[in-house]
């Protein structure tokens, strides 16, 4: 999986490419949390529309549980709000992973439409002002 992050104002924009693998997704999320702390982001867009794979139900559960617990331990003021943008089959139509994370106190919503996710967060689309976006990229091979 390849993860790109860009910060603009109080929003961290995360783009993920490749095939979903649970162990990588958990590791990648910890790195996203580090970027949140560094940039002091209060809102996070995780754009996984270019992810492939079909996570198992147990993987959806474990991911939702892990991210919610990791956010609790983040150690910043207010917990950030997350908007995930995914397409099926990575996106579960029943949104089981979202439910798991919500039940554990994480503030998030899963979308299949990028513009709806941005609107829900009250953010600006990252492409509208690229001159003010600070890129940082980390690649996993």
């Amino acid at each position: 999986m390849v993860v790109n992050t860009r910060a603009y104002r109080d929003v961290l924009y995360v783009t993920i490419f490749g095939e979903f693998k649970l162990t990588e997704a958990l590791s990648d999320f910890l790195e996203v949390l580090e970027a949140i702390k560094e940039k002091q982001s209060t809102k996070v867009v995780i754009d996984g529309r270019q992810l492939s794979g079909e996570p198992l139900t147990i993987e959806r559960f474990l991911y939702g549980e892990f991210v919610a617990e990791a956010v609790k331990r983040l150690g910043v003021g207010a917990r950030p709000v997350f908007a995930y943008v995914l397409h099926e089959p990575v996106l579960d139509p029943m949104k089981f992973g979202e439910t798991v994370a919500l039940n554990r106190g994480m503030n998030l919503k899963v979308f299949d439409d990028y513009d709806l996710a941005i609107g829900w967060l009250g953010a600006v689309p990252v492409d509208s002002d690229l001159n003010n976006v600070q890129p940082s990229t980390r690649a996993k091979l």
Side-chain angles (χ1 to χ4, degrees), residues 8-67:
Y8 179 63
R9 297 184 182 161
D10 63 338
V11 182
L12 184 68
Y13 297 85
V14 180
T15 307
I16 305 173
F17 307 86
E19 184 176 350
F20 177 87
K21 295 197 184 306
L22 180 61
T23 54
E24 285 185 47
L26 301 181
S27 175
D28 290 342
F29 190 78
L30 292 177
E31 294 204 21
V32 168
L33 291 182
E34 287 302 315
I36 290 169
K37 285 197 293 192
E38 178 185 328
K39 302 296 184 181
Q40 300 178 353
S41 303
T42 60
K43 301 172 185 176
V44 183
V45 179
I46 298 184
D47 183 355
R49 291 176 292 175
Q50 297 185 53
L51 275 175
S52 62
E54 189 167 352
L56 302 171
T57 302
I58 189 64
E59 291 175 314
R60 296 177 193 283
F61 174 85
L62 293 171
Y63 182 83
E65 180 180 56
F66 179 87
V67 298

Side-chain angles (χ1 to χ4, degrees), residues 6-140:
R6 292 176 281 187
Y8 179 63
R9 297 184 182 161
D10 63 338
V11 182
L12 184 68
Y13 297 85
V14 180
T15 307
I16 305 173
F17 307 86
E19 184 176 350
F20 177 87
K21 295 197 184 306
L22 180 61
T23 54
E24 285 185 47
L26 301 181
S27 175
D28 290 342
F29 190 78
L30 292 177
E31 294 204 21
V32 168
L33 291 182
E34 287 302 315
I36 290 169
K37 285 197 293 192
E38 178 185 328
K39 302 296 184 181
Q40 300 178 353
S41 303
T42 60
K43 301 172 185 176
V44 183
V45 179
I46 298 184
D47 183 355
R49 291 176 292 175
Q50 297 185 53
L51 275 175
S52 62
E54 189 167 352
L56 302 171
T57 302
I58 189 64
E59 291 175 314
R60 296 177 193 283
F61 174 85
L62 293 171
Y63 182 83
E65 180 180 56
F66 179 87
V67 298
E69 295 303 320
V71 169
K72 284 181 187 176
R73 296 187 306 273
L74 186 57
V76 296
R79 291 184 189 154
V81 179
F82 291 80
Y84 280 77
V85 187
L86 304 167
H87 289 305
E88 290 184 36
V90 177
L91 170 68
D92 176 14
M94 302 302 290
K95 298 187 179 177
F96 181 57
E98 176 186 288
T99 301
V100 170
L102 284 170
N103 287 342
R104 284 157 181 75
M106 190 171 173
N107 189 354
L108 83 152
K109 189 161 176 65
V110 178
F111 297 87
D112 64 359
D113 182 283
Y114 184 80
D115 292 329
L116 289 176
I118 293 294
W120 180 78
L121 276 178
V124 285
V126 73
D127 295 334
S128 69
D129 198 354
L130 285 176
N131 293 329
N132 292 317
V133 176
Q134 305 162 6
S136 62
T137 304
R138 182 188 55 78
K140 275 191 171 180

